[in-house]
Amino acid sequence: MDTKELLKKVRKIEIKTRRLSDHIFSGEYHTSFKGRGMTFSEVRQYQFGDDVRAIDWNVTARYNEPYIKVFEEERELTMMLMVDISGSEGFGSKNQFKEDIVTEIAATMAFSATQNNDKIGLILFSDQIELYIPPKKGKSHVLRIIRELIEFEPKSRKTDVAMALKFLSSVMKKKAIVFLISDFLTAEFEHPLKIAAKKHDITGIRVYDQREESLPNLGMVPMLDAETGEIRLVNTSAKEVRMDYEKYFRSKSNYFKETFSKCGAGVVNTRVDESYVTKLLGYFKSR
């Protein structure tokens, strides 16, 4: 991809996702994810209805009228985006690939964090850590993240969510808001998720395509495994083949939901042809 085309793509995603984050997500994000604690702001005169436990007795004694201490939430947070860029993310049966939706979701979350003056970091992973960008503030930093999401070429096409979670725990020593975005077509990851979720506020966002749910009856069809590059002839007319395919999808779907819930992490499921905006807003409001 040449520079001109890349900048055009970055700008297009910025316009779409920034509008969403400015008008929809920034408020919901602010409400859903709390700061690290309360910090002292000021002392002011007592007003009817104020909590008497907040009275500053030293100032009250000095001025011979009641004053209270005012505290406000320490807002600054760190968001870490963990994005699966393995081969299976390049699948799509309609107008968009999974990787397109993943990029839009990550960009929207990044701009929402920027609205709240939070730091944003990025981990791109396959079955290895492909790229790590430490958390930082600012629009130029967010635009760099979007550029990497669009043009980064992974060395591997396989997936390992467990490895990515171990890396997160090793590099992020302070609590962070973590969005792990993947199709979760991967091996088990419960143990590293349990460890990471004790320290961080983690949400798994699973992006999938309708053709991954079930196979249509189309006879003998050559199919490419996006993560191994292997091509196989699959008899989609065979009922048991279609049933095994659906069973595999359900097992991965159930494992994702049950494991994240068991570890105290959030869960969002969105299909490529569905509105991820509706899904994310519903999730934020339910927190």
Side-chain angles (χ1 to χ4, degrees):
M1 189 184 300
D2 61 35
T3 306
K4 189 176 180 181
E5 188 184 351
L6 173 62
L7 291 173
K8 189 176 177 182
K9 276 197 167 188
V10 170
R11 183 63 180 152
K12 185 179 177 182
I13 287 178
E14 181 192 0
I15 290 169
K16 180 175 181 178
T17 58
R18 185 145 204 166
R19 191 185 303 124
L20 287 173
S21 63
D22 286 353
H23 300 297
I24 301 175
F25 286 110
S26 58
E28 297 296 341
Y29 168 84
H30 182 100
T31 305
S32 299
F33 300 99
K34 303 296 184 184
R36 289 172 294 192
M38 304 299 287
T39 56
F40 175 72
S41 175
E42 61 178 338
V43 173
R44 63 164 172 79
Q45 281 185 296
Y46 179 86
Q47 298 172 2
F48 179 75
D50 285 338
D51 188 343
V52 294
R53 290 173 297 182
I55 291 175
D56 187 322
W57 294 108
N58 290 330
V59 177
T60 296
R62 193 180 309 140
Y63 291 100
N64 205 27
E65 57 180 314
Y67 278 78
I68 66 163
K69 292 178 180 177
V70 178
F71 294 85
E72 62 183 23
E73 186 184 356
E74 188 181 358
R75 242 323 301 176
E76 184 182 297
L77 300 167
T78 296
M79 176 192 285
M80 182 58 68
L81 297 168
M82 299 180 66
V83 180
D84 177 359
I85 56 170
S86 62
S88 62
E89 297 302 327
F91 180 76
S93 61
K94 292 264 182 175
N95 295 327
Q96 281 186 303
F97 298 117
K98 286 188 285 184
E99 62 191 9
D100 298 329
I101 302 301
V102 166
T103 297
E104 286 188 18
I105 291 172
T108 301
M109 294 296 97
F111 279 122
S112 297
T114 300
Q115 289 288 314
N116 286 282
N117 202 34
D118 294 340
K119 295 177 180 177
I120 306 108
L122 177 69
I123 297 172
L124 298 181
F125 69 93
S126 54
D127 63 347
Q128 62 190 54
I129 300 303
E130 300 279 356
L131 178 68
Y132 170 57
I133 300 178
K136 194 177 169 184
K137 294 181 183 181
K139 180 184 173 183
S140 61
H141 181 67
V142 173
L143 291 177
R144 183 201 166 187
I145 284 174
I146 295 172
R147 283 197 303 273
E148 297 292 1
L149 284 165
I150 292 170
E151 72 165 354
F152 191 88
E153 291 292 335
K155 297 182 185 70
S156 173
R157 298 185 64 80
K158 297 181 180 180
T159 317
D160 190 340
V161 168
M163 175 279 310
L165 285 164
K166 288 174 186 174
F167 179 79
L168 172 75
S169 294
S170 70
V171 295
M172 296 299 295
K173 300 304 180 186
K174 293 183 179 179
K175 182 179 179 179
I177 295 167
V178 180
F179 290 99
L180 175 47
I181 313 172
S182 173
D183 54 16
F184 291 93
L185 298 175
T186 182
E188 293 187 1
F189 49 80
E190 182 177 345
H191 183 63
L193 177 60
K194 190 181 293 183
I195 293 170
K198 284 180 181 177
K199 183 187 293 184
H200 306 296
D201 187 336
I202 300 179
T203 299
I205 302 177
R206 179 171 160 268
V207 180
Y208 64 99
D209 188 272
Q210 62 178 345
R211 283 290 169 239
E212 292 173 319
E213 292 182 89
S214 61
L215 274 178
N217 185 346
L218 298 172
M220 294 295 289
V221 178
M223 290 191 175
L224 171 69
D225 186 322
E227 298 201 356
T228 65
E230 185 180 353
I231 297 176
R232 290 184 183 179
L233 271 178
V234 178
N235 183 10
T236 61
S237 298
K239 188 177 179 181
E240 33 179 79
V241 169
R242 296 198 305 273
M243 286 177 66
D244 286 346
Y245 186 89
E246 290 174 26
K247 185 179 177 182
Y248 175 79
F249 177 84
R250 282 197 305 273
S251 70
K252 291 297 183 185
S253 176
N254 292 338
Y255 178 78
F256 162 70
K257 185 177 179 180
E258 290 166 7
T259 303
F260 268 75
S261 298
K262 191 194 297 184
C263 295
V267 171
V268 178
N269 280 290
T270 185
R271 210 168 65 187
V272 170
D273 59 327
E274 294 177 327
S275 168
Y276 66 82
V277 175
T278 304
K279 295 293 184 76
L280 289 172
L281 277 175
Y283 170 69
F284 287 158
K285 287 176 179 175
S286 70
R287 282 177 61 95

